[in-house]
């Protein structure tokens, strides 16, 4: 890309490929390249060496607007409902967050509200032991709302700082499962006004454009207040968050960079954009 | 949909007499955009367009009264033939017990798919044996054992601190003396760029010589599908692919990316969370889904 004397169509096409292969999406990529083309026409940009930087700055502006670390001090307990489609990393991200809060000296309670998937409760229990926090659970197959109700009661009784609720993976296209989520949210709000204080959507960085459809559907169903992007330690770039930020304006909280309890970072727009291309 | 978009493009071209090279260029660009929006990899989409360019410039399209329809037919046929092909059945022949390894990225659906395949094979009068060789994920062994209980399918019980290679060896020898004809091995999710873990899979392969190595891949995977599938294939020369979570609304362009880059057949698709949600792969249905 570098080493060219001027910014021509070939160069812009090369950048288009880099953007699209980062999963930023066709429309977003075209719009960004068009903006660069305009800048070149208006003589605001003529050095190919600066083109990449200019693009990064424009993308950074979109992401910086949503760069907003999660502040859990606003309520006791501060209730976080974790949602997302199957296999994206909800349970593991909860373990990482719990560990992080414990390291900050906060008390954390976990709720095993995935009562459907085989060994989901056991998985969260093991993480709870490793992070040093209790897990409220019922029998496998029981009503997730009942688990959430008990967890809320327990969190209030024990004066816990943070309650994190793990839910079953669910495709946003399944109306009955989205209804189950809305019910969980209603039960929470009834027991503790303002709860959940954060509805965190977990997105997998390897997911393509479907992530946008996931974000839209979950936002519609449960008013998502934050996003965590997992598996950025792979080769996928997670460019989908650019379109999601631009369109849906949902705060970007965390990125997951591995399978261990310490593999969680607060979202940083600059670092993200520099890794994008 | 592709039909609507091509109809719009061709409408603009009506009344210009013969379709020009530039006209076809615009039309092909439209098709490429549809593929990219469906998550087909950038390079794969480009190659696909090149492959149909000659046919698109043929008399069939240029002289047709309904060029959009002709072109869509060509695109659909080409896409279906690329996605389909030979060898989409499981290799079930060979000295018993035969074994199958399920590999892929974290969270793609391997453990659940092993359960589904065990049910599928049991219903075909086989006697499958499931092997939980994931010792790193919390409760992974428990997860597969619970599926085994649900299905009444025997499942290996790893001893404390048994590593994946030993688990596989012991499980296969046990299957050999216990009337189990097919061994299904669930492995830990791993990154294709994790050299140590990819080597672990290669070692298991060289030791137990499986009949099938199946890449379990998520249908909603984006541009990265070529990197993942390419690397797994390079290291393991896999036999096929199972595409999961097809019950969602992801267009599934990853299917074309994976097939194009590995040449390996997609054998099954996962269509739900329950253990009966496994279907044989139909290339024509996948083609229509990708084209929207
Ligand atoms: N490499 C990597 N793997 C991750 C990351 N986050 C989670 N995983 C892995 O992804 C897999 C799925 O994680 P889970 O936490 O079980 O995902 P989930 O969303 O709770 O899954 P369901 O409850 O089944 O929907 C596990 O193997 C995790 O170790 C990450 O940031 N990087
Ligand atoms: N909707 C749907 N969910 C699926 C399908 N296949 C698997 N899942 C779900 O996807 C999630 C992950 O499945 P697992 O079988 O745990 O995935 P895995 O590849 O074994 O995960 P790791 O062992 O952590 O790498 C679970 O919630 C499954 O129920 C499918 O075809 N459709
Ligand atoms: Mg989970
Ligand atoms: Mg598994």
């Amino acid at each position: 890309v570098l080493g060219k004397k001027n910014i021509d169509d070939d160069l812009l096409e090369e950048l288009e490929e880099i953007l699209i292969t980062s999963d930023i999406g066709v429309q977003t990529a075209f719009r960004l390249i068009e903006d660069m083309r305009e800048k070149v026409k208006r003589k605001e940009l003529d050095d190919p060496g600066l083109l990449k930087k200019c693009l990064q700055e424009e993308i950074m502006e979109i992401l910086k607007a949503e760069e907003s670390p999660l502040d859990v001090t606003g309520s006791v307990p501060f209730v976080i409902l974790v949602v997302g489609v199957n296999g994206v990393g909800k349970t593991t991200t909860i373990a990482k967050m719990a560990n992080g809060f414990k390291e900050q000296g906060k008390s954390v309670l976990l709720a095993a509200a995935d009562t459907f998937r085989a060994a989901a409760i056991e998985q969260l229990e093991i993480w709870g032991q490793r992070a040093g926090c209790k897990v409220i659970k019922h029998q496998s197959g029981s009503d997730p709302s009942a688990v959430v109700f008990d967890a809320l009661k327990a969190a209030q009784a024990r004066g816990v700082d943070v309650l994190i609720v793990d839910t079953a993976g669910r495709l946003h296209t399944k109306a009955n499962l989205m209804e189950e989520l809305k019910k969980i949210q209603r039960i929470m709000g009834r027991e503790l006004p303002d709860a959940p204080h954060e509805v965190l959507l977990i997105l997998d960085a390897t997911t393509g454009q479907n992530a946008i459809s996931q974000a839209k559907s979950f936002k519609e169903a449960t008013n998502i207040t934050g996003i965590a992007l997992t598996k950025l330690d792979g080769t996928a770039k997670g460019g989908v968050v650019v379109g999601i930020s631009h369109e849906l304006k949902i705060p970007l909280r965390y990125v997951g960079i591995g399978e261990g309890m310490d593999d969680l970072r607060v979202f940083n727009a600059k670092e993200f954009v520099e890794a994008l291309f | 949909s592709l039909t609507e978009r091509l109809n719009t493009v061709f409408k603009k071209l009506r009344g210009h007499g013969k379709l020009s090279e530039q006209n076809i260029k615009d039309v092909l660009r439209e098709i490429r955009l549809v593929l990219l929006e469906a998550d087909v990899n950038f390079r794969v989409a480009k190659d696909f367009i090149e492959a149909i360019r000659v046919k698109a410039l043929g008399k069939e399209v240029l002289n047709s009264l309904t060029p959009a329809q002709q072109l869509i037919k060509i695109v659909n046929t080409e896409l279906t033939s690329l996605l389909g092909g030979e060898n989409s059945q499981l290799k079930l022949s060979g000295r018993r017990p035969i074994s199958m390894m399920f590999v892929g990225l974290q969270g793609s659906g391997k453990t659940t798919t092993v359960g589904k395949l065990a049910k599928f094979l049991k219903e075909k009068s086989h006697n499958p044996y499931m092997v939980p060789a994931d010792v790193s994920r919390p409760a992974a062994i428990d997860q597969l054992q619970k599926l085994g209980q649900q299905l009444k399918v025997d499942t290996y019980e790893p001893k404390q601190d048994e590593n994946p290679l030993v688990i596989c060896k012991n499980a296969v020898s046990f299957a050999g003396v216990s009337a189990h004809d097919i061994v299904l091995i669930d492995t830990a999710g791993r990154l294709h760029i994790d050299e140590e873990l990819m080597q672990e899979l290669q070692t298991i392969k060289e030791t137990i010589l499986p009949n099938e190595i199946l890449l379990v891949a998520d249908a909603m995977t984006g541009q990265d599908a070529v990197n993942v599938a390419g690397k797994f294939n390079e290291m393991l020369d896999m036999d096929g692919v199972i595409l999961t979570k097809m019950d969602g609304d992801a267009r599934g362009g990853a299917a074309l990316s994976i097939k194009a880059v590995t040449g390996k057949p997609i054998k099954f698709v996962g269509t739900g969370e329950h253990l009966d949600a496994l279907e044989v792969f139909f290339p024509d249905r996948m083609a229509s889904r990708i084209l929207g």
Side-chain angles (χ1 to χ4, degrees), chain A residues 172 174 206 208 210 235 259, chain B residues 43 106 192 220 222 224 247 249:
Chain A
H172 52 296
K174 311 222 159 151
T206 65
N210 196 248
T235 51
E259 302 190 68
Chain B
R43 286 281 158 92
Q106 293 89 346
H192 51 300
M220 49 181 159
D224 200 43
D247 44 320
D249 60 356

Side-chain angles (χ1 to χ4, degrees), chain A residues 13 16-17 20-23 26-27 30 85-88 116-119 122-123 126-127 130 169-174 177 204 206-210 213-214 231 233-236 259, chain B residues 29 32-33 36-37 39 41-43 46 105-107 136-139 142-143 146-147 150 189-193 218 220-224 227-228 245 247-250 271-274:
Chain A
E13 264 196 47
E16 193 179 85
E17 173 169 358
I20 290 175
T21 54
S22 77
D23 282 316
V26 169
Q27 297 310 327
F30 285 176
V85 304
N86 310 72
V88 294
F116 168 75
R117 207 208 69 215
E122 289 80 351
Q123 182 187 9
I126 293 173
W127 279 121
R130 292 182 188 178
R170 69 201 66 225
L171 292 182
H172 52 296
T173 48
K174 311 222 159 151
L177 297 183
D204 186 328
T206 65
T207 304
Q209 298 310 299
N210 196 248
S213 150
Q214 292 172 25
K231 308 182 195 171
D233 46 317
T235 51
E259 302 190 68
Chain B
R29 181 174 181 275
R32 194 169 75 95
L33 291 187
L36 290 176
E37 287 165 5
D39 288 324
N41 177 267
F42 189 91
R43 286 281 158 92
K46 217 171 189 187
L105 290 183
Q106 293 89 346
S136 43
R137 169 173 154 155
D142 197 349
Q143 184 182 1
K146 283 195 160 66
L147 297 186
Q150 269 181 54
R190 68 204 62 214
L191 296 178
H192 51 300
I193 52 172
D218 198 321
M220 49 181 159
T221 311
Q223 296 288 312
D224 200 43
N227 301 326
V228 178
K245 307 177 202 170
D247 44 320
D249 60 356
T271 56
E273 301 181 70
H274 293 97

Side-chain angles (χ1 to χ4, degrees), chain A residues 23-41:
Chain A
D23 282 316
I24 217 168
V26 169
Q27 297 310 327
T28 305
F30 285 176
R31 209 190 61 243
L32 288 168
I33 295 296
E34 207 40 45
D35 289 350
M36 297 299 113
R37 207 169 253 129
E38 281 305 308
K39 282 193 159 56
V40 172
K41 273 209 198 111

